[in-house]
Amino acid sequence: AVAQMLLPMLDDDTTREEFLFAMIREVSAHEVGHTLGLRHNFKSSRWRSMEELADAEDTSLNGICGSFMDYPAVNMAAPDGTQGEFFQSAVGPYDKWAIEYGYREFGSNEKDHLDKIAARCAEVGLEYGTDEDSFLGDPFTVTWDMGADPIAFAESQIELANWGLDNMLDRAAEDGDGYYNYSRYYTLFNSLAQRSWGGLARFIGGFTYNRDVVGQENGRPPIVTVDPEKQQRALDVLIESGLKFDGHISDDMRLLMANKKYGSFGSWFDFWSMVPVSRTVNNTRFFALLPLMDSSLYERVNNQHQLTSGESLSMRDVAYPVFDAVWTDDPSEYDLWSQSDYVDMILFNIERDMTPSVTALYDEMMRKAKDKLDSYASSSDAALAAHGTWLGGKIDRYNQRQVMTDA
């Protein structure tokens, strides 16, 4: 499905055929790996640098990932970038290492030999993280990422998605095509952007996990905090590309986007759809805002801030920039949607069983939102004033209910 989504970026049929063949080869090798007993390795995609990913001659011999057992992103270069291999085409160093451990025969002292093989786990290219590491939130053990710097790769894919959206009129449809191609094209590129920054919230207050053993040469701790600089970069990308997403579509193109009719006029039950662009934009913003408002993120950030003696991000280092992105002095129509979602998320999370410091943070942010809404309510702009009165009233009703409950 992801590969199908990226086909509109390719300009000629030969490249498309090569692209699809390479995709099938990667998927087939992945499934063969499972038949040999290999588990998923979602951390193997962080082996290569951005520069190495563009070197098709090298990756064709050694792979773009450490293993076929990942679910990596498609290695699609940003506009004006050097295009390397789209998919994994060679057995990676992790695959060779894991097969040696599982299948090499030893005449005697098997455990000693196996321990010696396993002790290489800290070597570059042998990184390993599987399903349970991903479930625990390791930001380097995720699907659909790529490269030693997943944040930089995400930025390159967002750049690619924005390029696609900005060039929609020239690329989405040709003479004789149905207008629904515009909506389909827009959805594909917008989905690419969302997929690219979708896992970045894991970096904020994040931890990564290792399987080294006590006394291992060059051994690593079992749990390592994510570099605060990476946490800040991930937050910045989420805010700039997610919370401030403006749709990349001009007002005069909106009616093209409203038409989602598929097929011909003679098709039965083939309805027209008039989905507002603002709803589509809000959907994108919503999924950027959701993890940045989740109580588990702030508990994780607060815990890490204490563990690092204040050297990592604090809760307010995260909460305040998010607030400023949503609650602008002159909100757009998209900001109004985000503000409504923000209030709903505050009211949902504040009811959860959290540490007192996180609960106090939500209460603080709710009061800050109410102050903004009160200022909107006195605006000379009737629509903004109505928004401020309505959404501010929602907070008032919540507070009044709490007073009645406490009484």
Side-chain angles (χ1 to χ4, degrees), residues 26-331:
E26 179 183 272
V27 172
S28 300
H30 177 100
E31 300 309 328
V32 169
H34 281 315
T35 68
L36 294 173
L38 299 186
R39 294 194 63 189
H40 289 140
N41 182 3
F42 299 137
K43 195 176 278 188
S44 78
S45 52
R46 66 170 306 203
W47 175 36
R48 295 285 200 174
S49 69
M50 295 287 286
E51 292 75 21
E52 290 171 329
L53 288 171
D55 186 351
E57 182 178 355
D58 179 39
T59 62
S60 66
L61 298 175
N62 302 299
I64 58 176
C65 298
S67 173
F68 268 116
M69 304 313 296
D70 207 326
Y71 288 173
V74 178
N75 182 33
M76 182 76 73
D80 301 323
T82 301
Q83 180 61 57
E85 288 190 291
F86 295 116
F87 298 95
Q88 178 90 345
S89 66
V91 174
Y94 169 83
D95 296 326
K96 297 174 183 178
W97 177 59
I99 290 297
E100 179 185 16
Y101 185 92
Y103 286 89
R104 184 173 178 181
E105 295 184 359
F106 304 97
S108 60
N109 300 321
E110 181 179 68
K111 183 179 185 305
D112 291 340
H113 288 292
L114 291 177
D115 287 346
K116 185 176 180 180
I117 294 173
R120 297 178 53 206
C121 67
E123 292 182 14
V124 175
L126 305 185
E127 296 87 352
Y128 175 71
T130 192
D131 298 76
E132 53 266 32
D133 304 277
S134 181
F135 298 155
L136 287 170
D138 186 335
F140 295 106
T141 307
V142 297
T143 57
W144 319 124
D145 67 342
M146 181 68 77
D149 187 347
I151 302 171
F153 183 79
E155 289 178 305
S156 75
Q157 298 304 283
I158 292 166
E159 180 185 353
L160 179 61
N162 291 341
W163 169 84
L165 295 176
D166 290 338
N167 289 276
M168 184 173 73
L169 276 181
D170 295 329
R171 297 180 63 85
E174 299 178 354
D175 290 348
D177 289 341
Y179 276 92
Y180 65 82
N181 283 284
Y182 290 108
S183 291
R184 179 182 291 179
Y185 178 97
Y186 184 92
T187 299
L188 295 178
F189 279 89
N190 188 23
S191 297
L192 174 62
Q194 289 190 50
R195 182 181 291 276
S196 299
W197 50 250
L200 295 185
R202 288 173 171 238
F203 283 90
I204 304 169
F207 297 88
T208 187
Y209 307 103
N210 301 306
R211 286 177 166 75
D212 305 42
V213 298
V214 176
Q216 177 179 319
E217 185 178 354
N218 299 318
R220 302 160 297 182
I223 303 176
V224 179
T225 59
V226 173
D227 184 343
E229 185 268 338
K230 284 187 172 64
Q231 298 186 40
Q232 185 64 59
R233 285 175 56 212
L235 176 62
D236 291 344
V237 172
L238 273 168
I239 289 175
E240 293 301 319
S241 300
L243 294 188
K244 295 183 180 180
F245 180 68
D246 64 2
H248 286 267
I249 185 169
S250 60
D251 290 341
D252 60 347
M253 293 172 61
R254 289 191 176 202
L255 286 179
L256 295 179
M257 288 296 299
N259 175 10
K260 287 191 175 181
K261 186 180 192 304
Y262 286 74
S264 68
F265 283 97
S267 300
W268 282 75
F269 303 107
D270 196 2
F271 301 108
W272 289 84
S273 172
M274 297 290 285
V275 178
V277 172
S278 54
R279 186 179 294 278
T280 301
V281 172
N282 174 67
N283 184 65
T284 300
R285 288 187 171 202
F286 176 88
F287 286 106
L289 181 62
L290 187 63
L292 295 174
M293 295 296 294
D294 189 80
S295 59
S296 62
L297 180 142
Y298 288 102
E299 291 194 337
R300 189 172 73 227
V301 168
N302 195 40
N303 178 42
Q304 188 175 120
H305 190 68
Q306 295 171 358
L307 289 173
T308 60
S309 301
E311 293 184 3
S312 63
L313 299 181
S314 70
M315 293 190 297
R316 285 164 181 79
D317 288 334
V318 179
Y320 285 3
V322 171
F323 181 91
D324 291 341
V326 173
W327 298 94
T328 60
D329 291 332
D330 184 22

